[in-house]
Amino acid sequence: MSEPAIPEVTWTRKDLLGIADLSSEEIELILDTAEAFQAIAQRPIKKVPTLRGKTVLNLFFEPSTRTRSSFELAEKRLSADALNFSGSGSALSKGESLLDTARNLEAMAPDLVIIRHQHPGVPHLLADRLDSGVINAGDGAHEHPTQALLDAFTIRQHKKRLAGLKVTIVGDIEHSRVVRSNIHLLVKMGARVTVAGPRTMMPVAIEKLGVQVSYDFDEALTDADVVMMLRVQLERHGRSLFPSTREYFQVFGLTQARLARAKADAIVMHPGPMNRGVEIASAVADGETSVILEQVANGVAVRMAVLYLLSLAQQGKS
């Protein structure tokens, strides 16, 4: 095993809790570092000793397929030791507090803790109290920073830039942690962001984040460079927010005919999981303009970069 050609960098931030706190320079550094790690996936032996001897705890209190698997694969490729932990069947189900659980786990001397939790702010609470570096893998409907970073990485691969692009994000804006992180990142990097969806799924005063709001899907798609579709998060709805999935698809579903309003070289994205026939047609999801599977692949390289950079901060404390 040999190290990837990673340029020497300086990184002092202990945690990655959200995109809002990152500078544009830090975002660029993460994306550039991910490019160095991406080449590892093409090697016969997809493993480097970069984090050998480091311990990472994966704390997932919500169901996850892509994010959890991506982090676990990133840890393995970096030769880190990983401990996987879930809320079900744990001491939490027996009444132990989250903070006591984390303190007991930290007694095992982990270097990094990755957490997904249904309540916003839980990663921040842990980061304030633990010496370990903390990575937010999604907290409620608040943020999902590594998803936004891998989305930006994918866009940059295809468009060679972020500044000046028109990015249209469509769907359940109100309940999406992905959209919040993406808005923070894309606006900060100079993209023009339009969010579109039903009025019942649009946060009040979201324009204050620097985006344009549209309730007309066709209008929002016009001349878009990037179209990002979002899942309708029924599990977060306290009541029915639209008459039926069939009607939702008719008004806000992405079809080939609708996609023709975007630029000819537009790319289609989706953070997953997809509801085919609800927010996106299969012909689009599997079509030539779709980069959805590339997003999944790029997630490993981006999360390798995040793990590596936060480990530098841990080394700086020792």
Side-chain angles (χ1 to χ4, degrees):
M1 296 187 296
S2 60
E3 292 278 9
I6 307 171
E8 287 195 16
V9 298
T10 300
W11 185 275
T12 58
R13 189 180 290 274
K14 179 178 83 76
D15 312 299
L16 178 62
L17 303 177
I19 296 295
D21 296 333
L22 296 180
S23 67
S24 57
E25 292 77 16
E26 288 174 314
I27 292 169
E28 288 281 4
L29 178 57
I30 293 171
L31 301 184
D32 291 345
T33 306
E35 283 187 6
F37 280 114
Q38 190 178 40
I40 295 173
Q42 310 304 321
R43 297 181 179 183
I45 299 177
K46 300 174 176 61
K47 200 164 189 177
V48 291
T50 309
L51 293 190
R52 180 182 290 162
K54 301 290 184 181
T55 303
V56 183
L57 300 185
N58 298 305
L59 310 184
F60 279 74
F61 298 97
E62 275 190 319
S64 173
T65 300
R66 279 159 301 281
T67 301
R68 182 168 190 160
S69 299
S70 183
F71 267 116
E72 290 178 8
L73 187 54
E75 293 150 15
K76 291 180 187 299
R77 288 187 176 174
L78 292 169
S79 300
D81 297 317
L83 174 62
N84 300 319
F85 180 89
S86 62
S88 60
S90 71
L92 283 171
S93 63
K94 302 173 185 176
E96 183 175 74
S97 73
L98 174 64
L99 190 55
D100 282 335
T101 296
R103 283 172 173 160
N104 279 285
L105 291 170
E106 191 178 36
M108 304 175 193
D111 297 283
L112 297 168
V113 174
I114 296 162
I115 180 164
R116 167 171 285 194
H117 202 278
Q118 63 269 31
H119 296 306
V122 168
H124 301 71
L125 180 147
L126 292 184
D128 286 342
R129 290 164 173 79
L130 303 182
D131 291 331
S132 308
V134 176
I135 299 173
N136 181 2
D139 60 330
H142 180 226
E143 275 219 55
H144 193 350
T146 58
Q147 180 68 48
L149 288 164
L150 73 88
D151 290 342
F153 185 82
T154 305
I155 294 170
R156 200 174 74 161
Q157 277 190 320
H158 283 267
K159 302 298 181 181
K160 310 305 179 188
R161 61 190 172 95
L162 296 172
L165 295 177
K166 178 181 177 181
V167 181
T168 298
I169 307 177
V170 186
D172 192 351
I173 308 297
E174 172 72 32
H175 302 95
S176 173
R177 54 191 168 209
V178 170
V179 75
R180 283 164 175 76
S181 290
N182 265 299
I183 287 172
H184 288 311
L185 189 153
L186 292 167
V187 170
K188 192 169 293 189
M189 302 305 289
R192 296 177 292 116
V193 180
T194 297
V195 293
R199 292 181 183 274
T200 53
M201 298 183 192
M202 192 67 67
V204 175
I206 193 172
E207 298 94 336
K208 292 181 179 179
L209 295 180
V211 304
Q212 290 189 330
V213 176
S214 176
Y215 302 105
D216 184 330
F217 189 15
D218 292 332
E219 177 187 69
L221 282 172
T222 302
D223 294 328
D225 296 285
V226 179
V227 182
M228 184 181 299
M229 304 305 297
L230 301 175
R231 180 176 66 89
V232 177
Q233 300 195 33
L234 296 174
E235 73 277 10
R236 299 189 191 277
H237 297 181
R239 57 189 174 86
S240 178
L241 300 180
F242 53 89
S244 68
T245 55
R246 180 180 179 182
E247 182 170 325
Y248 181 89
F249 182 72
Q250 289 176 343
V251 180
F252 288 102
L254 184 62
T255 62
Q256 291 283 23
R258 273 209 166 106
L259 185 59
R261 293 178 175 270
K263 288 184 178 177
D265 63 347
I267 59 172
V268 175
M269 310 181 76
H270 196 304
M274 284 188 294
N275 291 318
R276 294 171 182 259
V278 179
E279 69 261 8
I280 190 168
S282 289
V284 178
D286 302 327
E288 293 182 359
T289 58
S290 173
V291 297
I292 295 170
L293 292 180
E294 290 180 41
Q295 290 173 264
V296 177
N298 289 338
V300 178
V302 167
R303 288 168 175 130
M304 289 174 73
V306 169
L307 290 165
Y308 166 70
L309 291 170
L310 265 61
S311 74
L312 295 181
Q314 292 294 310
Q315 292 173 16
K317 295 193 312 180
S318 60

